Amino acid sequence: MGNRRTFIAVAAALAAQLSFAASAHADQLADIKKKGEIVFGVLGTDEPNSFIDPKTRELVGYEIDLAKAVARKIGVKPVFKQLSVAARIPELQQGHVDVLAATLTHNKEREAQVDFALTHFVTGSKVMVRSASGITALPQLANKKVVTVRGGTQETNIRAVVPTANIVTFENTQQAFQALQQGKGIAYVNDESSLLADYGKLGPAAKNFTILPTSIGVEAIALGLRKGEKNLKGVVDATLRELETSGAANGLFNKWYGPGTRPNMAKRTFTISTDKI
């Protein structure tokens, strides 16, 4: 019995050590500090959240600035890895990126897969149509070809409103927008903020396109984190709260979305304050 007790005690001690090692290793924030860098998964194709500046060829945008603020707070170098919309959550879960700054909609379905930081943008999906189509309302898209991005919430949103729409998806929003311009679809669905930026790119050709007034749902956009990384979420949320309190968050909104920008949104209608939806 003595030997058995000793064996059990040793086994228990070993199990405790392994458990401690696993929990210590599971602290992603400590790993990031040790590495000296934090890897953000970004789209890089979604102006004004993250896109390539045509002059400098560098990634810029609203979410890039938020990501850089998080990196400064932790005291590490920000590294950006471009992802497709569909690859965002798998890349995060597999550890290829530390945080998603990739126009990620926070919804109940995704809460089972990832954790979310505080909501840093609120938008809704809208539809741009070719003006010559004569379409003025969403129901008229029944049985029509509609283009959007693959793996985003836009496809789900438009299907809920127009179940019979013929939806064609592309790897990124730039490809979908180009498809609309080339006449490969009669309508294009995207987040309203990005859609306004796309519309702003059209220049004189804007007269050939119309954004329908009806918004399809309201979406909270947030940084995505791996499940259970409380220390990393804590520092990310603290960074966002500080940006809000200092007024810097509103400044970033105006820089990328406000009057005079391509989205040209009159004012911010939300604050960075909650991770609930």
Side-chain angles (χ1 to χ4, degrees):
M1 288 293 286
N3 287 342
R4 178 175 167 77
R5 280 202 196 94
T6 302
F7 175 78
I8 291 170
V10 170
L14 184 61
Q17 281 182 325
L18 290 171
S19 174
F20 176 79
S23 63
H25 182 69
D27 185 5
Q28 191 185 0
L29 179 59
D31 290 344
I32 288 166
K33 287 179 177 177
K34 188 176 179 181
K35 240 183 351 178
E37 65 180 36
I38 180 168
V39 182
F40 291 93
V42 301
L43 296 182
T45 55
D46 186 33
E47 188 176 348
N49 281 317
S50 63
F51 62 103
I52 304 289
D53 184 314
K55 293 177 184 174
T56 65
R57 304 307 301 162
E58 290 184 357
L59 277 164
V60 295
Y62 178 69
E63 289 187 321
I64 299 296
D65 283 352
L66 294 180
K68 286 178 177 177
V70 169
R72 279 196 303 273
K73 176 81 169 172
I74 299 172
V76 295
K77 175 187 174 186
V79 174
F80 300 104
K81 180 179 179 180
Q82 281 189 254
L83 308 173
S84 69
V85 169
R88 292 174 299 182
I89 290 175
E91 288 279 308
L92 179 70
Q93 291 174 324
Q94 291 161 21
H96 298 156
V97 298
D98 296 312
V99 178
L100 291 176
T103 322
L104 187 69
T105 297
H106 179 173
N107 58 34
K108 291 297 182 185
E109 293 75 23
R110 286 177 176 161
E111 284 181 354
Q113 300 173 292
V114 299
D115 284 341
F116 290 90
L118 303 178
T119 296
H120 62 251
F121 201 86
V122 178
T123 186
S125 294
K126 278 199 170 181
V127 180
M128 185 189 296
V129 298
R130 302 180 68 82
S131 301
S133 68
I135 290 172
T136 56
L138 294 173
Q140 292 172 279
L141 295 175
N143 303 310
K144 300 287 196 308
K145 188 175 283 186
V146 177
V147 298
T148 192
V149 68
R150 185 178 303 120
T153 53
Q154 296 90 338
E155 182 179 355
T156 307
N157 291 345
I158 192 66
R159 282 194 193 282
V161 178
V162 191
T164 60
N166 177 14
I167 297 169
V168 180
T169 61
F170 294 83
E171 186 165 326
N172 59 56
T173 54
Q174 286 185 348
Q175 290 174 359
F177 183 43
Q178 189 175 42
L180 175 75
Q181 292 170 276
Q182 293 171 344
K184 294 177 181 176
I186 206 165
Y188 162 52
V189 186
N190 200 0
D191 292 338
E192 180 180 11
S193 51
S194 298
L195 197 69
L196 289 169
D198 292 336
Y199 188 75
K201 294 174 191 173
L202 288 167
K207 66 181 184 297
N208 300 322
F209 300 89
T210 304
I211 296 176
L212 299 184
T214 307
S215 184
I216 312 170
V218 176
E219 304 203 353
I221 307 298
L223 302 179
L225 305 112
R226 289 208 284 280
K227 296 290 289 182
E229 294 293 345
K230 292 182 180 178
N231 289 340
L232 181 57
K233 176 172 162 54
V235 76
V236 170
D237 286 351
T239 305
L240 294 170
R241 283 195 181 94
E242 287 169 12
L243 291 173
E244 183 62 39
T245 304
S246 69
N250 194 53
L252 287 177
F253 173 88
N254 286 327
K255 174 184 176 181
W256 296 108
Y257 286 99
T261 63
R262 274 180 172 156
N264 199 32
M265 299 175 83
K267 63 178 182 177
R268 194 173 67 143
T269 57
F270 61 90
T271 59
I272 299 176
S273 58
T274 182
D275 61 0
K276 303 293 185 287
I277 54 168

